Amino acid sequence: MKILVTGGAGFIGSNFIRYWLKKYPADSLVNLDALTYAGNLENLSDIENNKNYKFIKGSICDDNLAYDLVQDLDLIVNFAAESHVDRSIMDCRDFITTNVEGTRTLLEAAKSASRRNGKIRFHHISTDEVFGSLGPSDKPFNETTPYDPRSPYSASKAAADHLVRAYWHTYELPITISNCSNNYGPYQFPEKIIPLFITNLLANKKIPVYGQGKNIRDWIYVDDHNAGVDAIIKRGRLGQSYCLGGNSELTNFKLTKKILSFMGKGEDMIEYVTDRPGHDLRYGLDFTKAKNELGWRPAVNFNDGLKKTIAWYKNNQAWWQNIKSGEYLEYYKKQYGQ
Ligand code: NAD
Ligand code: TYD
């Protein structure tokens, strides 16, 4: 199979490429990535000489490039996105450009190539955040939950999902979508809570908990997410969405306490800071459909995955020390007057 992976130099995409080439070594993968602040070729330094892997620097918004790349493909897996909620609150222009217009560009390229060479399968990576925010005792989201995005990030992801489904209904482009919960694991850019807190603590810096730390997220180890995407590509029904949850809902405070305890640090390292505007209270995902139809479920226990992730950041300090996440944090603090 010949596969175009977009956003493969980012966190989940790079783990996906490593996962896929290990499991399906005869497949060939092209990684199209614009190398924004979040894209890092060091994430794939162990893969770069694999004869079945090729990197192309470019944007998913480039019509001509997309058109050229899709001509002899079997599958597109679209990870490329602006992915950080806080950045979308500061300025959402790039979110609309990449997440919406970029997805349209790829869909259009896939559609035009389909007409000439048979159908190209399109798998789109989405998020549970498109469903909105749950109350403390609400049932978790599932595939029938109406979309209700509430941040500029989730609104852009929701728009992209709707377009992907529109290409299925209108043009019969063979699509699938996965809506996944919060990922963690190696190579995650240290602006998201888990790598930010681990790297701050390794550098003996305080860790900023928004508000009172009562917000809840459902955590999934990145390899579990990618195994779910694999299952959908191999066994999912066309035109369908699948929720991939981690079975690990935690308040940010409980998550913070676990990180502190696994790293041998005390609660004095916490700095409570002004809350994120419009902060969604809770995400949770019911993955019964993926379990029943695909035989998929998350395999990594949260404590084990978190310990493994902490060990990775401890053993790969050069990787994250090269990344200037501090600049972003300073900007956020200025913006919200902390
Ligand atoms: P990331 O920010 O780590 O990586 C995004 C990658 O996309 C980067 O390599 C970046 O260079 C690339 N990119 C950005 N704009 C591009 C463009 N115009 N053209 C080509 N490449 C471009 O993100 P991530 O955490 O790996 O997320 C990957 C996907 O998974 C996204 O679609 C995101 O919405 C989705 N998702 C993420 C999570 C999570 O917890 N991180 C959860 C559910 C879904
Ligand atoms: P984040 O990792 O940004 O993912 P998302 O907003 O997509 O869920 O944030 C996860 C949770 O952690 C969210 O409730 C916001 C909170 N958070 C903090 O408390 N402090 C931080 O420094 C960050 C980045 C997030």
Side-chain angles (χ1 to χ4, degrees):
M1 192 150 59
K2 183 160 183 198
I3 306 171
L4 176 68
V5 178
T6 71
F11 162 49
I12 307 174
S14 61
N15 280 290
F16 177 82
I17 289 173
R18 186 171 293 102
Y19 167 100
W20 197 274
L21 284 174
K22 191 168 173 210
K23 188 159 175 196
Y24 305 107
D27 284 351
S28 73
L29 265 63
V30 175
N31 172 13
L32 171 65
D33 196 297
L35 297 183
T36 67
Y37 79 95
N40 186 349
L41 287 180
E42 281 182 36
N43 297 3
L44 289 162
S45 52
D46 54 330
I47 305 282
E48 64 191 6
N49 294 324
N50 185 312
K51 65 178 181 6
N52 287 336
Y53 167 75
K54 185 174 168 194
F55 171 70
I56 293 178
K57 183 170 184 225
S59 171
I60 61 166
C61 302
D62 182 336
D63 292 284
N64 292 336
L65 179 60
Y67 185 82
D68 286 348
L69 285 176
V70 299
Q71 292 311 318
D72 58 344
L73 287 182
D74 300 299
L75 166 69
I76 299 172
V77 188
N78 183 29
F79 287 95
E82 287 295 332
S83 68
H84 192 40
V85 174
D86 291 325
R87 285 181 189 257
S88 80
I89 293 169
M90 289 186 257
D91 182 355
C92 70
R93 190 179 312 222
D94 290 347
F95 289 73
I96 304 304
T97 306
T98 288
N99 301 3
V100 187
E101 173 60 15
T103 302
R104 184 208 63 80
T105 305
L106 291 174
L107 286 165
E108 198 53 34
K111 185 187 95 185
S112 57
S114 306
R115 292 217 175 104
R116 296 169 0 133
N117 299 335
K119 304 264 180 194
I120 295 178
R121 175 79 181 275
F122 191 100
H123 182 75
H124 181 67
I125 304 292
S126 188
T127 163
D128 57 1
E129 305 192 23
V130 296
F131 297 119
S133 181
L134 292 165
S137 47
D138 288 343
K139 283 194 179 145
F141 305 124
N142 67 26
E143 293 78 3
T144 65
T145 307
Y147 274 32
D148 183 23
R150 294 150 48 105
S151 73
Y153 163 68
S154 54
S156 69
K157 292 295 291 185
D161 295 7
H162 288 313
L163 262 181
V164 173
R165 272 191 284 270
Y167 271 67
W168 160 250
H169 288 290
T170 312
Y171 307 111
E172 296 178 351
L173 187 75
I175 64 96
T176 40
I177 298 176
S178 45
N179 297 93
C180 190
S181 56
N182 284 62
N183 285 228
Y184 68 101
Y187 300 102
Q188 187 168 29
F189 192 89
E191 65 183 353
K192 308 277 167 60
I193 188 170
I194 289 182
L196 176 71
F197 283 14
I198 295 171
T199 53
N200 272 16
L201 291 170
L202 286 172
N204 230 9
K205 286 200 217 150
K206 295 242 181 191
I207 51 177
V209 171
Y210 298 168
Q212 295 302 304
K214 289 185 178 152
N215 303 69
I216 295 171
R217 297 292 182 264
D218 172 36
W219 292 99
I220 184 167
Y221 193 72
V222 64
D223 289 345
D224 278 337
H225 179 182
N226 286 328
V229 172
D230 178 7
I232 296 169
I233 289 166
K234 298 289 178 184
R235 300 187 291 284
R237 282 183 293 138
L238 296 181
Q240 295 287 309
S241 291
Y242 293 88
C243 286
L244 303 175
N247 211 15
S248 299
E249 282 192 40
L250 280 179
T251 64
N252 291 337
F253 183 63
K254 277 196 181 150
L255 166 69
T256 302
K257 283 216 305 194
K258 275 183 195 286
I259 296 174
L260 287 168
S261 132
F262 294 163
M263 294 186 69
K265 302 275 186 180
E267 283 182 34
D268 56 310
M269 293 307 283
I270 298 177
E271 185 185 8
Y272 289 96
V273 299
T274 308
D275 209 351
R276 170 188 283 172
H279 196 170
D280 286 344
L281 178 66
R282 177 181 160 226
Y283 305 139
L285 271 184
D286 173 353
F287 54 87
T288 308
K289 179 176 172 183
K291 194 170 69 182
N292 290 349
E293 286 191 19
L294 312 171
W296 173 90
R297 56 175 308 130
V300 178
N301 161 281
F302 183 70
N303 285 348
D304 296 343
L306 186 58
K307 285 179 188 162
K308 219 158 81 165
T309 303
I310 292 170
W312 188 86
Y313 282 90
K314 264 189 196 159
N315 294 331
N316 290 276
Q317 305 220 8
W319 181 87
W320 56 265
Q321 278 164 355
N322 287 336
I323 293 171
K324 295 179 184 162
S325 60
E327 269 175 24
Y328 150 72
L329 211 62
E330 287 311 309
Y331 182 61
Y332 184 77
K333 283 184 177 170
K334 254 188 239 152
Q335 185 91 350
Y336 298 113
Q338 290 156 22

